[in-house]
Amino acid sequence: MTELSVRAMSPEEFDSWQDALTAEYAREHVSAGNWAPEEALDRAREANAVLLPQGMATPGMLFLLGVLADGSPVGRLWISLTHPRGLVGCAYLYDIEVAAEHRGRGLGRALLAAGERAAREHGAQALELNVFGANETARRLYETSGYRVVTQQMRKDLPA
């Protein structure tokens, strides 16, 4: 596995990541059929504001940058040490992303493992996440990293 560590994001890195995260979250919800394109960006901003009322200073949040041994940034993680459904001892992975130019080299697996270590170092005994059903690459990564389905949401479109 590629050597990778994580460090806290700087305020500038956090701001840049928030812009990218909001846009990607909006796109995923539009692709999943959850939101209309014209409302998606506003809804994504609102969702992040609810989760991060104090921005980077919101308690219990880890905003991490994945870096190679030479310090080059390759990806980002957002982990909440408090589970959104209140599961005791279970942290929640809101976001993980390897920069496009670094994909396909095992860095996603290394970044996930570094995030797991960081959560464990902060007292978490488990880490949970959500993945959109169409994201086959991410689903395979999580399954082969030992994650298992604990809840599942399904949908069927009903034609007129």
Side-chain angles (χ1 to χ4, degrees), residues 33-45:
N34 298 333
W35 296 343
E38 59 275 6
E39 69 180 6
L41 203 52
D42 286 339
R43 290 186 74 168
R45 282 188 191 107

Side-chain angles (χ1 to χ4, degrees), residues 56-137:
M56 190 174 190
T58 301
M61 299 292 180
L62 302 177
F63 305 107
L64 304 171
L65 198 67
V67 294
L68 297 176
D70 66 1
S72 303
V74 296
R76 303 174 288 226
L77 288 160
W78 171 17
I79 299 171
S80 173
L81 299 173
T82 304
H83 193 282
R85 291 191 323 271
L87 301 179
V88 176
C90 187
Y92 193 83
L93 178 64
Y94 277 105
D95 185 52
I96 179 172
E97 183 175 10
V98 172
E101 66 272 18
H102 294 288
R103 292 181 186 155
R105 300 181 0 212
L107 294 171
R109 186 171 309 283
L111 185 58
L112 182 60
E116 292 167 355
R117 284 190 302 275
R120 195 172 32 253
E121 288 167 4
H122 283 85
Q125 299 160 1
L127 183 61
E128 194 171 280
L129 55 85
N130 182 62
V131 61
F132 284 96
N135 193 341
E136 188 64 35
T137 301

Side-chain angles (χ1 to χ4, degrees), residues 3 7 9 17 31-32 40 46 50 55 72 86 93 98 138-139 157:
E3 185 180 335
R7 64 166 174 78
M9 286 183 195
W17 164 73
S31 293
E46 290 168 9
V50 167
S72 303
L93 178 64
V98 172
R139 285 182 28 223
D157 292 329

